[in-house]
Amino acid sequence: MKAVLFECFAETPKLATLPDPEPAPHGVVLKVGATGVCRSDWHGWMGHDPDIVLPHVPGHELAGTVVATGKDVTRWKAGDRVTVPFVGGCGACPECHAGHQQVCHNQFQPGFTHWGSFAEFVGIHQADLNLVALPETMDFATAASLGCRFATSFRAIVDQGRTSAGEWVAVHGCGGVGLSAIMIANAIGANVVAVDISDEKLELARGLGAVATVNASETSDVAAAVIEMTKGGAHVSVDALGHPATCFNSIQNLRRRGRHVQIGLMLADHATPQVPMAKVIAHELEILGSHGMQAHRYGAMLDMVATGKLSPDRLIGETISLEQSIAALTSMDTFSSVGATVVTSF
Ligand SMILES: [Zn+2]
Ligand SMILES: [Zn+2]
């Protein structure tokens, strides 16, 4: 098969010809129909992820067609159109038994713990547990865009944040994750305040349903501005960027008993940000995380896509070829594209 391979961190990957994968007994092999290019792939390529063993094939936001199944697989057959969360469960640990595969003790992450989907074919483990059937009407590019940013935002707003209609939701950072969170919160009837430093992104946020915006580069106290707009603070607030400043503001702008959900990754020297803990206690705030979403929760999200309440296709930017994915991957830190870049030809 054709695949993007890197043998050293931070050196330009090459387009290689590799043996086709064989399915594990509990796994399947998919013919990749689309795979998203994500900043997590860039971090992996740079050597920031200890799970990656060289040589490596990146790619974790994928959708495709089953072409081979292991002997123990009962739910899937060749020809099925599927996607997969970026965290797959092992099926055997206490968290998997409790239905929380997104925090499994022995995670299967294509493109990190195993070879990923910047390739014509990819193997997926524990297929009966981890695969999600696609609606016939959903194209592969849209499906690939769900697995990482969109599903994590869905879990953050719906399951972790427990957002309900009429509540105020503050979204800090209006990149792909933040715009997803805005679309989802708006769809379930919440009132969204979007925060960013770019007027262009705030305009996109308004287009996806934000009823108010704060330009953080022109506002001395972002939390105070959100508290004023929401007449007392947000019920739910998310840091969709992953930065000490947005994390702090997201907690600081909550009303009493509000819920902060951290979606943006906190890496390296950002890993232990300052938290206004006195306010967490006095106002009984909740601090939550969101780490992908388990396969068995995809149905709720896919139904909202099928009925038109959510339109993840609006967040797709450029579609490119596997060959072009090398430049897209290596320039991820310098090139800020509007919308997700998705590989659709292999
Ligand atoms: Zn991703
Ligand atoms: Zn597990």
Side-chain angles (χ1 to χ4, degrees):
M1 66 170 182
K2 243 195 291 176
V4 170
L5 185 80
F6 58 86
E7 288 168 306
C8 301
F9 292 117
E11 283 181 18
T12 307
K14 63 181 183 195
L15 200 58
T17 302
L18 302 173
D20 290 350
E22 295 283 329
H26 49 73
V28 297
V29 171
L30 305 182
K31 184 179 194 314
V32 181
T35 188
V37 184
C38 175
R39 205 173 160 81
S40 303
D41 296 314
W42 180 85
H43 278 297
W45 169 67
M46 286 294 288
H48 298 164
D49 191 320
D51 289 336
I52 293 177
V53 177
L54 297 173
H56 186 68
V57 176
H60 61 281
E61 303 182 355
L62 67 113
T65 309
V66 175
V67 291
T69 55
K71 66 178 176 53
D72 299 337
V73 173
T74 61
R75 292 182 56 211
W76 307 100
K77 59 179 190 318
D80 288 343
R81 299 170 74 251
V82 296
T83 189
V84 64
F86 78 87
V87 179
C90 70
C93 76
E95 296 302 338
C96 281
H97 285 162
H100 305 308
Q101 290 82 12
Q102 80 284 358
V103 289
C104 169
H105 288 255
N106 187 20
Q107 300 177 5
F108 171 83
Q109 297 189 10
F112 300 103
T113 62
H114 292 74
W115 281 10
S117 51
F118 279 39
E120 288 180 281
F121 299 98
V122 63
I124 302 293
H125 287 191
Q126 301 296 338
D128 283 344
L129 183 66
N130 293 320
L131 290 189
V132 176
L134 293 181
E136 277 172 26
T137 50
M138 185 177 286
D139 61 71
F140 286 135
T142 304
S145 78
L146 296 175
C148 180
R149 290 160 267 205
F150 204 82
T152 302
S153 295
F154 189 90
R155 178 165 169 75
I157 296 293
V158 177
D159 289 352
Q160 294 293 79
R162 311 188 303 280
T163 307
S164 55
E167 288 191 318
W168 284 98
V169 174
V171 175
H172 296 262
C174 297
V177 170
L179 293 174
S180 304
I182 290 164
M183 183 191 288
I184 293 158
N186 182 54
I188 62 172
N191 299 309
V192 180
V193 181
V195 183
D196 202 279
I197 55 171
S198 151
D199 281 331
E200 189 194 353
K201 288 189 175 162
L202 292 173
E203 194 58 46
L204 287 172
R206 265 184 229 107
L208 292 169
V211 295
T213 57
V214 177
N215 186 323
S217 68
E218 297 165 357
T219 310
S220 59
D221 188 338
V222 170
V226 173
I227 289 169
E228 192 185 331
M229 283 174 176
T230 57
K231 304 178 197 73
H235 298 84
V236 177
S237 186
V238 300
D239 173 10
L241 180 65
H243 186 277
T246 45
C247 172
F248 185 90
N249 286 338
S250 176
I251 298 166
Q252 186 72 12
N253 71 191
L254 287 170
R255 74 175 57 205
R256 287 160 200 252
R257 293 182 54 77
R259 288 91 73 194
H260 161 79
V261 190
Q262 186 67 36
I263 314 178
L265 295 176
M266 292 289 209
L267 297 172
D269 52 346
H270 287 169
T272 53
Q274 192 189 359
V275 169
M277 198 54 83
K279 189 166 182 173
V280 171
I281 296 166
H283 291 183
E284 290 196 347
L285 307 181
E286 290 180 56
I287 310 282
L288 301 150
S290 180
H291 188 243
M293 188 166 73
Q294 40 314 41
H296 68 80
R297 278 293 288 152
Y298 267 57
M301 179 173 75
L302 292 175
D303 285 352
M304 289 185 76
V305 177
T307 55
K309 292 185 174 168
L310 296 176
S311 306
D313 52 303
R314 290 178 66 187
L315 303 174
I316 294 175
E318 237 189 318
T319 53
I320 61 172
S321 68
L322 188 63
E323 196 170 358
Q324 291 172 307
S325 73
I326 294 172
L329 173 71
T330 57
S331 66
M332 226 40 292
D333 61 326
T334 53
F335 180 66
S336 120
S337 57
V338 176
T341 302
V342 183
V343 178
T344 53
S345 62
F346 291 83

